[in-house]
Amino acid sequence: MGLAIFDLDNTLIGGDSDYLWNLFLAELEIVDGTHRMAKNDVFYQQYLEGILDIYEFLTFQFEPLKNHPVSQLTTWRSQYIKEKIQPIILPKALELINFHQRQGHILLIITATNRFITQPIAEILGVKHLIATEPEMQDGCYTGRVVGTPSYREGKITRLNEWLATQHLSLNNPSWFYSDSHNDIPLLERVTYPTAVDPDKKLANHAKNEGWKIISLRT
């Protein structure tokens, strides 16, 4: 049985869900918009350059989760999904997901973005399995800390191997991975059919050198 793995941000959706969550919170004045978006921009640029300290970023990203009750966060998230995410779901991404589904492949989204943000997005996309960075909860509240290994860069391989073991699966069976980012090259190198999707410059060059397939879900 084949396994089709998808990155989320700027692959299946036409934007970055982490970045847009901060923008949404700033627009609602839930956070200090000027200060938070300035830091958000710095972290996003570091991500693009491949120099992001994921733990520093997660401390920043989990602050709103830690500072508000889950019931309020869930209400805000519903509005965020409607206003920021649904308009950027790519029709061709849905077609690609449906293609693999028709082939009987197992579908999995793997993303560095945390589960609080991405679980409902995966559900909208119709993808049952999700590997995301896990924010810690204690007594029904978010602590601001991360559980386990963040699913970022080589961490995606660690988390995927853990998941494969629980599912009694292997990448030795036909496997696909679709991503836009050079940060995902370590995992792209592990699958049977690596595919660069609207890739950044570093990934585009690497994909061309390796003879990987390059596609667009935006045009």
Side-chain angles (χ1 to χ4, degrees):
M1 183 178 292
L3 173 63
I5 309 169
F6 307 90
D7 177 46
L8 178 64
D9 298 313
N10 288 307
T11 300
L12 296 179
I13 61 175
D16 185 283
S17 57
D18 255 335
Y19 186 92
L20 290 172
W21 173 246
N22 284 310
L23 178 61
F24 171 80
L25 295 177
E27 289 175 347
L28 264 62
E29 299 183 349
I30 297 165
V31 297
D32 180 341
T34 301
H35 173 71
R36 189 161 186 88
M37 288 312 297
K39 291 190 69 173
N40 199 34
D41 289 339
V42 170
F43 283 125
Y44 190 60
Q45 186 60 40
Q46 290 173 347
Y47 168 79
L48 295 177
E49 295 174 8
I51 60 172
L52 177 67
D53 181 328
I54 188 62
Y55 290 98
E56 182 183 0
F57 171 70
L58 291 175
T59 297
F60 164 79
Q61 191 69 344
F62 289 171
E63 283 177 359
L65 300 186
K66 181 178 68 173
N67 292 337
H68 299 280
V70 171
S71 59
Q72 181 63 75
L73 291 166
T74 303
T75 298
W76 287 332
R77 184 180 63 182
S78 296
Q79 183 180 350
Y80 155 79
I81 293 292
K82 180 179 180 181
E83 295 180 4
K84 298 298 185 185
I85 299 301
Q86 288 183 337
I88 61 171
I89 292 175
L90 301 171
K92 286 189 176 181
L94 296 176
E95 292 174 9
L96 180 62
I97 290 169
N98 290 336
F99 167 78
H100 282 285
Q101 198 166 41
R102 290 194 302 270
Q103 305 306 308
H105 299 155
I106 297 170
L107 308 181
L108 167 69
I109 289 174
I110 187 164
T111 175
T113 304
N114 69 78
R115 182 173 295 274
F116 175 79
I117 292 175
T118 56
Q119 183 68 56
I121 303 175
E123 292 170 1
I124 291 171
L125 293 171
V127 178
K128 177 181 178 181
H129 300 288
L130 170 68
I131 295 173
T133 297
E134 300 288 350
E136 183 185 61
M137 293 193 77
Q138 289 184 356
D139 301 322
C141 299
Y142 288 106
T143 66
R145 297 186 293 268
V146 64
V147 177
T149 302
S151 43
Y152 173 66
R153 292 180 65 90
E154 289 80 2
K156 283 191 175 181
I157 297 172
T158 300
R159 293 289 305 284
L160 177 60
N161 285 337
E162 293 171 350
W163 181 84
L164 289 170
T166 67
Q167 302 294 315
H168 306 291
L169 296 172
S170 170
L171 292 180
N172 292 331
N173 296 322
S175 54
W176 292 257
F177 181 36
Y178 298 90
S179 177
D180 71 293
S181 174
H182 68 93
N183 289 298
D184 284 335
I185 288 174
L187 181 51
L188 285 161
E189 293 176 335
R190 300 296 184 96
V191 300
T192 314
Y193 302 107
T195 304
V197 181
D198 300 292
D200 60 38
K201 186 176 180 180
K202 289 182 181 179
L203 177 55
N205 290 337
H206 189 86
K208 290 174 184 176
N209 290 336
E210 295 294 328
W212 294 349
K213 188 174 182 180
I214 301 175
I215 66 171
S216 175
L217 297 180
R218 301 192 186 214
T219 59

